[in-house]
Amino acid sequence: MKVVLFCGGRGTRIRDYSDSIPKPMIPLGHQPILRHVMQWYSDYGHDEFVLCLGYKANVIKDFFLNTRPQTFSDCVVTQGGQDVKLLGDQVKDWSITLLDTGVWRNIGERLWAARDQVKNENMFLANYSDGLTNVDLDDVVAKFEASGKIGCFLAVRAPLTYHLADIAEDGRVREFRTTDTSEIWINGGYFLFRPQIFDYMRDGEELVLEPFRRLIDDNMLMAYKHDGFWRSMDTLRDWQSLEDMVERGDMPWNRKVTAEKTRRGLVMAGS
């Protein structure tokens, strides 16, 4: 399926980076978070991407126009760099459509601008491009396909550390709960749609407000609850947390890294 990625935001809550580069290009390890997201989809076999650009679109265009496969692969370099041989698995040939959808448009307007790219798809995927997860995408797709719904979003636990108070009308406290034991779910920014989503959209509307309300009224929106790993990169603190995970080699969103850690664990257990 095609994957629509919203890459046009200004990233105002993570200013230390976003003044110079667009938020999706903020690096985690040796590659931008956008590429981590794309690699996750590619690991599930989805290699056609539509990037809805906006703020500093030229930076993202330059990255994909000038980055060579060996940038993210082990390689052997000879003849002063003129001959490069890739080691291990060959890098997949991604199809990447780069659309400049404007600087000040919201997510709904960016999706609308990409409608011609997905109008002939049975279903398509979409993402904010600034969050990572280890959800089983194949299972999400299967359940959405079987549902007959028009839209689906990944529902995740709110990443809060507050204690939630259940308070009666008279001020009596019934209970305190932690957020991870509550029934608070938020939009994780991972979507599946059928092209009929565009029938529910109107000019200038934000995606998850009015269009989703219309889907709800028609019983055409479903949520896929995910209790596993999910992390968005909204603030500098979020970035540091994800960067620390990359440095430790703890990347649950990367299926290859996770499989290798599992293999090593089995080898160590058996030795």
Side-chain angles (χ1 to χ4, degrees), residues 72-85:
F72 303 108
S73 302
D74 294 333
C75 57
V76 177
V77 180
T78 57
Q79 300 182 31
Q82 296 182 33
D83 184 63
V84 180
K85 179 182 178 181

Side-chain angles (χ1 to χ4, degrees), residues 48-271:
E48 292 186 70
F49 299 95
V50 180
L51 272 55
C52 299
L53 310 180
Y55 179 65
K56 294 189 181 295
N58 61 303
V59 176
I60 298 179
K61 285 185 177 181
D62 183 70
F63 176 81
F64 287 106
L65 289 172
N66 296 304
T67 299
R68 295 178 294 175
Q70 53 265 36
T71 304
F72 303 108
S73 302
D74 294 333
C75 57
V76 177
V77 180
T78 57
Q79 300 182 31
Q82 296 182 33
D83 184 63
V84 180
K85 179 182 178 181
L86 301 181
L87 301 176
D89 297 335
Q90 294 298 304
V91 177
K92 284 189 176 182
D93 183 18
W94 293 350
S95 170
I96 305 172
T97 300
L98 301 168
L99 294 180
D100 193 339
T101 58
V103 175
W104 298 108
R105 286 184 171 178
N106 61 38
I107 296 299
E109 291 171 310
R110 295 192 194 284
L111 180 58
W112 183 260
R115 65 191 183 282
D116 287 343
Q117 303 296 322
V118 295
K119 63 182 180 182
N120 296 322
E121 299 291 303
N122 179 41
M123 298 183 296
F124 66 93
L125 301 145
N127 197 300
Y128 288 152
S129 78
D130 63 356
L132 299 166
T133 186
N134 68 346
V135 69
D136 184 344
L137 183 57
D138 288 340
D139 190 56
V140 181
V141 171
K143 285 184 168 56
F144 175 62
E145 188 171 21
S147 74
K149 307 293 187 184
I150 291 174
C152 172
F153 71 95
L154 184 69
V156 297
R157 298 287 188 181
L160 303 172
T161 57
Y162 299 111
H163 290 93
L164 306 176
D166 182 1
I167 304 172
E169 288 295 326
D170 61 1
R172 178 175 54 87
V173 178
R174 298 191 185 101
E175 183 185 11
F176 264 107
R177 298 189 305 275
T178 57
T179 52
D180 61 339
T181 60
S182 72
E183 275 303 306
I184 296 178
W185 297 86
I186 64 171
N187 166 27
Y190 285 69
F191 304 102
L192 283 97
F193 295 115
R194 300 181 195 273
Q196 292 93 327
I197 181 62
F198 298 107
D199 297 333
Y200 287 78
M201 300 174 67
R202 306 290 183 268
D203 185 44
E205 292 180 345
E206 180 57 86
L207 176 63
V208 300
L209 297 179
E210 297 91 349
F212 272 26
R213 168 47 58 190
R214 296 183 189 107
L215 288 174
I216 293 169
D217 289 344
D218 286 352
N219 192 25
M220 283 294 159
L221 180 68
M222 67 167 284
Y224 184 99
K225 289 184 176 181
H226 177 57
D227 271 313
F229 174 81
W230 175 88
R231 188 72 56 80
S232 65
M233 192 180 68
D234 289 327
T235 66
L236 193 60
R237 183 178 180 180
D238 294 331
W239 170 79
Q240 185 62 65
S241 176
L242 288 169
E243 181 70 7
D244 290 345
M245 292 180 70
V246 172
E247 290 179 1
R248 296 194 307 267
D250 179 19
M251 296 185 287
W253 63 88
N254 188 306
R255 299 181 80 191
K256 183 177 180 180
V257 170
T258 302
E260 179 62 19
K261 286 186 66 176
T262 301
R263 185 190 69 80
R264 289 181 180 179
L266 292 173
V267 170
M268 291 292 290
S271 61

